Amino acid sequence: RAPRAVGTALPLLVATMTGHTEWFAGNFFEIFGRSLALVGVAELFDKTWFMGLILALRYSPRTVFIGSYSALLLHCVLAAALGLAFARFLSKVTLAYMTTGLFFFFALMYAKDWYEADPDGDAIEAGKKEAEGEEEDAGEVPNDEETSCNPLKAEKAAEEKADWAVLGKSFMGVFIAEWGDRTQIAMIGQHASQPLVPVFLGSVMAFFLLTLSAVGAATLLNGQKLRERVVFGFSACCFLIFGLLALKDAIAESTAAAGAESHSQTLG
């Protein structure tokens, strides 16, 4: 009971200290877990995930991880900012039903992908090809062939230059691949309709685990095959569940708003 009490009290304490109680409202860990699952399902075997995998196969995994994760962190910040902006202009009930519709729409999109997918299509191979197209847009890592009177110093300088180039390429490649993606739109919807902090932390944790898994799986997935229909079907089912959970939240929000309005009219 003690750890659970601490886990519940800590977000409330931080909310009180920051003065933004609306950012921590609701069941903190439930919303955190839902956000983590949503981003994880949407991104696994997506082109952004494969971008990190392909880069890790070619360059230093540590450098690729830093560049890729930095780009995804920036996307989390942008999604949070856009979500807050929407929340200022629209009511909570409207945002809740919009998020519900968004998740059901994504469920239909993934169901359509499942229906149109080749029964024997390989999701891993298809993802690699899509990511390679995005990688070309990020540019090539330059080869430094300059000579120097101090070969050791020149070699070290060349390595450092190559590391920065890989870092930049990883950042730009992942940032471009994620821009306008379904995950980004879903995150904006989550940030707009749910408390900001648990949604943001859940997204950040999901991207951390996904980037880590992409870099770690660079060698493990060599020669492996995964049917596209399995990936699309699983994603469609998960987004259907997310939509039902969002609908439950929307109905609860609508009921609470109607109750508050009725109470104010009674008092008036």
Side-chain angles (χ1 to χ4, degrees):
R1 290 184 180 179
R4 186 176 180 181
V6 173
T8 307
L10 187 59
L12 292 174
L13 177 62
V14 177
T16 305
M17 291 174 65
T18 57
H20 291 283
T21 53
E22 74 279 5
W23 291 3
F24 294 83
N27 190 323
F28 186 92
F29 290 104
E30 180 186 338
I31 296 168
F32 171 86
R34 196 186 297 182
S35 177
L36 190 151
L38 185 147
V39 175
V41 168
E43 279 299 298
L44 190 61
F45 298 115
D46 188 65
K47 63 182 177 182
T48 309
W49 189 83
F50 279 107
M51 176 68 71
L53 183 144
I54 289 170
L55 290 169
L57 283 170
R58 299 181 182 180
Y59 310 113
S60 165
R62 184 181 64 179
T63 307
V64 170
F65 176 84
I66 294 171
S68 301
Y69 189 54
S70 298
L72 293 172
L73 273 178
L74 180 56
H75 272 292
C76 287
V77 173
L78 291 173
L82 289 170
L84 280 176
F86 280 117
R88 291 195 174 205
F89 295 104
L90 298 170
S91 69
K92 286 187 176 181
V93 175
T94 303
L95 286 168
Y97 279 111
M98 284 178 65
T99 303
T100 301
L102 186 67
F103 290 163
F104 282 136
F105 175 72
F106 283 157
L108 285 173
M109 291 289 289
Y110 278 114
K112 177 176 175 288
D113 290 339
W114 171 83
Y115 180 76
E116 294 178 349
D118 182 355
D120 298 319
D122 183 7
I124 294 176
E125 192 60 35
K128 283 182 178 179
K129 287 180 180 177
E130 190 176 5
E132 282 171 354
E134 298 283 350
E135 184 195 3
E136 290 176 3
D137 295 337
E140 292 296 325
V141 176
N143 293 319
D144 192 355
E145 297 181 356
E146 293 180 1
T147 57
S148 173
C149 57
N150 190 334
L152 291 176
K153 189 174 180 180
E155 185 178 350
K156 186 177 179 181
E159 286 178 0
E160 288 178 358
K161 186 176 179 180
D163 283 343
W164 280 107
V166 171
L167 187 71
K169 182 174 183 178
S170 301
F171 180 90
M172 287 304 299
V174 171
F175 187 85
I176 292 169
E178 185 62 19
W179 188 260
D181 195 54
R182 292 178 191 178
T183 313
Q184 188 186 43
I185 299 169
M187 282 198 304
I188 293 171
Q190 277 284 88
H191 280 98
S193 61
Q194 298 289 338
L196 182 140
V197 173
V199 172
F200 181 79
L201 292 178
S203 303
V204 166
M205 178 59 71
F207 277 132
F208 175 83
L209 295 174
L210 285 162
T211 309
L212 193 65
S213 68
V215 172
T219 52
L220 296 177
L221 288 178
N222 238 357
Q224 299 297 316
K225 186 175 181 179
L226 182 65
R227 291 180 184 272
E228 282 186 299
R229 279 199 160 183
V230 172
V231 175
F232 291 140
F234 177 74
S235 299
C237 291
C238 286
F239 268 97
L240 179 61
I241 294 170
F242 295 147
L244 291 171
L245 290 171
L247 179 61
K248 173 176 165 285
D249 292 342
I251 293 171
E253 196 71 53
S254 182
T255 304
E261 185 179 350
S262 176
H263 181 68
S264 64
Q265 287 177 354
T266 304
L267 291 176

